[in-house]
Amino acid sequence: MTGSRVLQRKVVDAVALVFAGAATLFGLFWLFWILWTTLQNGIGALNPALFTQMTPPPGSEGGLLNAFYGSAMMILLAVAIGAPVGLAAGTYLAEHGRYTRLGAVVSFLNDVLLSAPSIVIGLFVYEMVVASMGHFSGYAGALALAMILLPVIVRTSDEALRIVPDQMREAAFALGIPRWKVTSQILFKAALSAIVTGVLLGIARIAGETAPLLFTALSNQFWTSSLNEPLANLPVVIFQYAMSPYDEWHELAWAGAFMLTLFVLGLNIAVRLIVRRRKRS
Amino acid sequence: MTAYVPAEMKRSRSAGADRTFTLFTAGAAWLVLVLLGATALSMAWGGRLAFQTFGLDFIISPEWDAVQGKFGALVPIYGTLATSAIALVIAFPVSIGIALFLTEIAPRWSRGPIGIAVELLAAIPSIIYGMWGLFVFAPFMGANVEPWLTEHVGDWPILGPLFNGPPIGIGMLTAGIVLGIMIIPFIAAVARDVFAEVPAPLKEAAVALGSTRWEVLTKVTLPYTRSAIIGAIFLGLGRALGETMAVTFVLGNAHDLSVSLLMPSNSIAAAIANEFTEADSELYRSSLIALAFLLFVVTLIVLSFAKLLLVRLKRIHGRTL
């Protein structure tokens, strides 16, 4: 091996390492650019009216109260529907159907569903619910969100139960406790914090979902507490206002974007802190 | 259901309750399958009018004219594929670089925080990417990057026409870059995890033979993790194909077929998002649903490939797929 060959390899290596560092900086650069943009435009647009006034007509000022309310209601309803069903399916995958063919198939397709395009799910709920009811509604929006939440909960609750040590199951069975009681009263308790973490991650995921709400909840300029009508919600309002030509609407869109980012990233970071603390203890 | 139930428990009085509980959880598991199947079927059913009316023309004709009731989806199909390809070209090398940095180069204390920061890119809602893309990134591209591209790359023999166009900021190149940023965290996370799982003795043997870190990566780590890395690329592709909001903001909703990546275009997801609530005829709506069907089937196939290739990868808690 000649000296120049060694030098060449060293140079290639150094270039590669510099590239790896640059790639990481490249990734972080976008994160900070996007967060900075949101912060810069969002902070300036924040004011108390945001939380006390309704979405305004074009060219005038207002708030986002109805959008916050609508989003909160739909997320709560989606969790109320998606979390129990997802937990049950996750329980099947981890406990009752761990070695069954159904378990394997569901586990596989559930992961596929996790990354499936959410706009198609919105269209599905449109076809099933909106078309048959004849109008857009908060219920339809909540169902679409629940469908996106479902695979997240299935996966996280499956994993939460699988990390419960088998000794706990064996000890419970040895005491003669029936299987359903072992699962529902012992394993769920042992896995509780991990299951809750999964639900929080799921909420973070659906809070920003816009595409599935476009044809289900639509939006509503006015206040309504009824989920049976088109319902204002933060993502769709941000979308409509950002795409509009009005400055007042752009301001509101940025304020909404800031609140949404704060909520979603805050939840993500909180979940990671919880997980890390649990691992330590 | 053939769930495993110990023989002695079948005799106990609670066998009935056990069976009910198992059936209940199995029912929930079935629901996942039913929802997936029902979604595909309902899209196929909703799109049947378009498929019957246009046949193969639906896919190969670029003519999308709502007034005359002619719907050929070549432009959104091409836009979807082109933007996803741009995204992969950007995201793949960057993700491998990030994974290499996080597993081999970065000081140990910094790996956790940097890894989390990269993962947070995946947590930002896509509508935020869209707003940033529309108000900040597209103007930046239009003012700085695109004029430069047209001037310096625009007259190259084969690549030239791709980068020759009006510097308006909005278009396939901008959309592809935004998509690329969005899928970096998915590919990088998988790559980092599989890189960390390469057995240390393999790498140590290569180092003992005098390999540089670059040679360890290309001759040991990448061959060892090849299937998972390809799986990660498919995962990123599946994500990019179906991404809606970010693309809708920066793609321009144009129905003209253009070679130049600097021109506005359309994507399947963006066309549905923009036009579905305005679709005023049965055929129009059906055409959009038929597009959704194509998108759904293609992403399911791509994501299934990803899942098959990643199946050996140990699941890491809290991460999905």
Side-chain angles (χ1 to χ4, degrees), chain A residues 33-47:
Chain A
W33 192 3
I34 294 168
L35 291 184
W36 171 247
T37 304
T38 316
L39 193 74
Q40 196 185 16
N41 292 295
I43 290 275
L46 284 187
N47 62 58

Side-chain angles (χ1 to χ4, degrees), chain A residues 86-91 94 152-162 195:
Chain A
L87 177 60
T91 305
V152 180
I153 306 287
V154 173
R155 173 55 57 234
T156 51
S157 55
D158 176 17
E159 283 172 4
L161 287 167
R162 273 174 207 260
I195 293 172

